[in-house]
Amino acid sequence: MNMTNWGFICVVVLLSRYSETQGLTHSRFQVKNHGYSTDPKPQFKEKYFPQIMDHFNFNSMGNGTYEQRYLITDEYWKSGSGPIFFYTGNEGDIWEFALNSGFITELAAQQRALVIFAEHRYYGKSLPFGQDSFNIPEVGLLTVEQALADYAIMITELKQQLGASACPVIVFGGSYGGMLSVYMRLRYPNIVAGALAASAPILSTAGMGESKQFFQDVTSDFENYAPECRDAVRGAFQRLQDLAQIEDYGRIQSAFSLCKTPSSYKDIHQLNGLLRNAFTLMAMLDYPYSTHFMGSMPANPVKVACDTMLGGADLLHALKDTAGIVYNSTGDLTCFDLYTLYVECADPTGCGLGFNSLAWDYQACTEIEMCYESNNVSDMFPLMPFTEKQREQYCSKRWGVIPRPGWLKTQFWGDALSTASNIIFSNGDLDPWANGGVRKSLSSSLIAINISEGAHHLDLREANDADPASVIKARKMESDTIAQWVKMERKCLQRGF
C-alpha cells in the first residue's frame, strides 16, 4: 500500500504509543464508579438502507436495490466529531449481535461514539429477493465481497447524511463478523481506520491448518475440565456405535428419547451429528455466566456437561441428558426430533435453522472453507470425515456450485498480513475457533490478544461481575488501542489525508 509521508508518520506515532500502553492492566470496565456506567442500555433505532444489489456487475441488476437493515444509536455520540463504531454483521439477525456485544456500547459511552450494527445481506430481514432469495440463481449475490461493498457504501453514505465526514470509523465483529472486520480494513483502508476482530478464524476458513484441529480443540475443553469426562463421552459414543452395528434401533430410541425409531445408517449419522453439535456449542459458549445467545446456556456449560456425563449411571442416558443442555434447556421437549433440531450442511460445526442456515450453507459451499472432521483419535467423537470431495459433491447437488478451495486466501491475503495495519485479533483459550485465527502479534499494529478463560468473543460482551481478569485486561488493551487509532486518524483527516 502506497502511503504519503504524513500517512506513514501517523502509523509510526500510533505504534509507538500503543507499545506504551501494553503494560496497563486495570480496566475502567472493572468497576462501576470510574466515571461512566459500565452497563449502558442504548436505544437502538431500527432503520433500512437502500442498498445496491450487485456492486460488481452493472448488467445483472442495473442499479437495483434492496432494503438492508441496520441499527443505530447516537445516544453517546459527540455529533460530527466523535468516532463511528460499526459492527460488520454476520450470519444471523442483527439484533442478536447487538444485544450480545455490549462492550461496543460501553466503549461508545466512553469515547462518545456513534454506534451502527449493520445486518449482512441474506440474513435476518435483509433479503434482497424476499422469500425467493435462496432460489438459484438469486442466491448467487451472497458473497463476502458483496457484503463488504454493502458496508463500505453504507458507511460512506451515512457519514455524508449525518455530517460525519471527519469521524474516524472503527469496525468490530465476532466470529465470521470478525473476519469481515479484518477484510474491511484490508479492502477499504480509506474508509476504515481500524478493526477489532474477535474470535475470527481467518486462517482455518481459508483452508489453512489441519482438518482435525477444530474437534480436537472442542475435546480439549472437556478434557481440561476432567480427563474422565472426555473418556465418558468417548465411551458413550462407542456404546451408541455398538448398538447401531447390531441394529438395536429400539434401544437407541429409548436411550435418547427420540421421537421416531432410527432405521438406517443415515439416521445414526444424523444422531451423531446432533450430539457432536451440542458439545461444539457448549465449548464455544463456555461463558462464566448464563446466556441467551445462540440458545440458552447455563453458566460454565462445559462444567455442567461434564458433571452430567460423570453423574449418570448409564452412559447413553448421560449423553442424552448432556445434549439436552443445548436442545432442551427448558425441559419442555418430551422427545428429540433428529431432523428438526439439527440440520446437516456444508459446515460440520453447524449451520443453525431457518433461512439463516440456508444462507450460511451456501457460503460454506462457496468461499468459506470448513472441511473439519472428527476422527475418534485426536478427539472424543465418532469418525465423521468431511473431505474436499464430499464438500464438492454436496454443494454441487444442493446449490449447483463447485467450491473453489483457496479463493478466500487469494482474496484476503491468508497469513501474509505483514503489510496490513491497525487490526486487533482477540481469541479466547476456551474457544475451539481460536487456533483457526491469528494467535501471535505480527507487528506493532497487528495485535494478537489471547484471553485465558475466554470463550467465543467473550470480550465483545458487556462487562459482568463474573468476568475473568483476563477479559477485563483484554478490553482495556482494546479500548486504549482504539482510542489511539481514533486520535491518529482524526489528525490525518484534519490534514487532508
Side-chain angles (χ1 to χ4, degrees):
M1 181 188 306
N2 293 324
M3 303 179 68
T4 63
N5 289 337
W6 174 252
F8 178 76
I9 292 171
C10 286
V11 173
V12 170
V13 173
L14 170 58
L15 301 190
S16 64
R17 291 189 177 181
Y18 171 74
S19 64
E20 296 171 3
T21 69
Q22 283 189 311
L24 297 175
T25 60
H26 186 71
S27 171
R28 68 188 65 199
F29 295 104
Q30 191 169 4
V31 293
K32 295 188 177 181
N33 59 354
H34 278 205
Y36 77 102
S37 169
T38 62
D39 190 28
K41 299 296 183 185
Q43 297 298 313
F44 282 108
K45 297 176 183 177
E46 181 176 293
K47 295 189 175 184
Y48 288 84
F49 182 85
Q51 186 60 260
I52 297 170
M53 279 190 171
D54 189 346
H55 297 279
F56 307 112
N57 188 336
F58 284 83
N59 286 331
S60 71
M61 300 300 301
N63 291 320
T65 62
Y66 76 97
E67 294 296 298
Q68 182 178 16
R69 183 166 60 162
Y70 67 98
L71 312 178
I72 186 170
T73 179
D74 60 0
E75 186 173 338
Y76 316 113
W77 190 35
K78 185 177 181 181
S79 180
S81 62
I84 297 172
F85 292 167
F86 187 94
Y87 186 93
T88 51
N90 34 326
E91 70 279 30
D93 188 296
I94 194 58
W95 277 107
E96 183 84 352
F97 300 105
L99 296 176
N100 286 278
S101 303
F103 171 66
I104 298 173
T105 49
E106 291 172 349
L107 194 60
Q110 176 193 0
Q111 299 191 13
R112 304 187 69 181
L114 178 73
V115 179
I116 300 171
F117 279 76
E119 190 163 71
H120 194 298
R121 59 168 54 204
Y122 287 83
Y123 292 95
K125 293 185 177 180
S126 300
L127 303 177
F129 301 96
Q131 300 296 308
D132 296 327
S133 294
F134 301 100
N135 295 342
I136 300 171
E138 285 81 1
V139 73
L141 292 181
L142 172 53
T143 68
V144 170
E145 294 77 18
Q146 296 280 6
L148 296 177
D150 283 347
Y151 298 150
I153 293 296
M154 181 183 288
I155 291 170
T156 302
E157 294 198 14
L158 288 182
K159 285 184 72 174
Q160 183 177 4
Q161 292 173 18
L162 296 169
S165 59
C167 298
V169 177
I170 306 297
V171 289
F172 297 74
S175 197
Y176 169 54
M179 293 166 54
L180 296 176
S181 290
V182 173
Y183 302 157
M184 282 294 292
R185 176 60 184 164
L186 299 180
R187 183 61 61 86
Y188 299 104
N190 57 315
I191 295 174
V192 171
L196 170 53
S199 300
I202 63 168
L203 303 181
S204 64
T205 55
M208 306 171 69
E210 295 287 336
S211 61
K212 65 181 181 181
Q213 184 72 58
F214 183 86
F215 290 110
Q216 178 179 314
D217 288 345
V218 172
T219 298
S220 293
D221 279 358
F222 295 87
E223 181 180 39
N224 290 338
Y225 176 75
E228 54 269 30
C229 177
R230 170 207 60 203
D231 296 340
V233 173
R234 178 177 278 136
F237 275 111
Q238 183 60 54
R239 179 65 178 139
L240 171 57
Q241 181 180 342
D242 292 342
L243 291 175
Q245 284 182 337
I246 62 174
E247 298 184 357
D248 192 348
Y249 295 132
R251 176 68 186 280
I252 293 173
Q253 180 189 25
S254 175
F256 289 97
S257 299
L258 303 180
C259 299
K260 296 180 181 179
T261 305
S263 60
S264 65
Y265 166 79
K266 178 177 180 290
D267 292 340
I268 300 303
H269 179 80
Q270 179 73 10
L271 175 57
N272 281 330
L274 177 143
L275 295 169
R276 188 179 68 174
N277 188 61
F279 286 93
T280 295
L281 287 171
M282 287 186 285
M284 285 174 55
L285 306 178
D286 194 22
Y287 301 129
Y289 46 84
S290 62
T291 58
H292 299 279
F293 177 56
M294 298 172 63
S296 296
M297 286 282 179
N300 305 299
V302 168
K303 175 184 182 300
V304 174
C306 285
D307 290 347
T308 302
M309 282 301 308
L310 297 174
D314 178 84
L315 279 180
L316 290 181
H317 284 96
L319 184 57
K320 181 260 293 184
D321 290 342
T322 301
I325 296 169
V326 172
Y327 297 114
N328 195 19
S329 60
T330 63
D332 293 338
L333 292 182
T334 57
C335 64
F336 294 94
D337 188 312
L338 288 179
Y339 292 95
T340 60
L341 291 175
Y342 172 73
V343 176
E344 188 176 31
C345 65
D347 177 0
T349 73
C351 282
L353 303 171
F355 278 160
N356 291 336
S357 72
L358 296 178
W360 187 242
D361 188 32
Y362 181 79
Q363 289 196 264
C365 273
T366 50
E367 297 177 293
I368 312 295
E369 297 181 48
M370 288 175 288
C371 286
Y372 311 145
E373 52 190 20
S374 54
N375 57 29
N376 200 235
V377 177
S378 60
D379 58 65
M380 62 189 181
F381 303 110
L383 175 63
M384 298 180 70
F386 188 58
T387 64
E388 287 287 357
K389 185 63 176 178
Q390 287 174 308
R391 178 186 179 219
E392 181 178 315
Q393 291 171 341
Y394 170 83
C395 296
S396 176
K397 181 179 179 180
R398 175 65 185 87
W399 294 105
V401 297
I402 302 297
R404 286 189 231 159
W407 178 239
L408 206 61
K409 178 181 176 182
T410 300
Q411 283 277 77
F412 300 107
W413 307 15
D415 59 356
L417 295 165
S418 60
T419 57
S421 64
N422 291 10
I423 303 172
I424 298 170
F425 303 94
S426 66
N427 285 286
D429 289 349
L430 301 181
D431 185 10
W433 291 103
N435 288 323
V438 176
R439 302 301 302 269
K440 294 181 180 179
S441 295
L442 304 175
S443 72
S444 298
S445 72
L446 297 173
I447 306 154
I449 298 177
N450 296 304
I451 306 169
S452 62
E453 303 177 84
H456 202 46
H457 47 73
L458 174 62
D459 51 324
L460 288 187
R461 300 186 62 82
E462 67 181 1
N464 188 288
D465 290 341
D467 281 335
S470 57
V471 77
I472 296 172
K473 178 180 178 181
R475 290 181 185 135
K476 173 62 175 173
M477 293 175 64
E478 293 164 357
S479 171
D480 289 345
T481 302
I482 289 168
Q484 290 295 329
W485 289 345
V486 168
K487 184 177 181 180
M488 294 310 302
E489 179 69 9
R490 184 176 288 119
K491 287 183 178 180
C492 293
L493 289 171
Q494 290 172 349
R495 290 176 178 260
F497 294 103

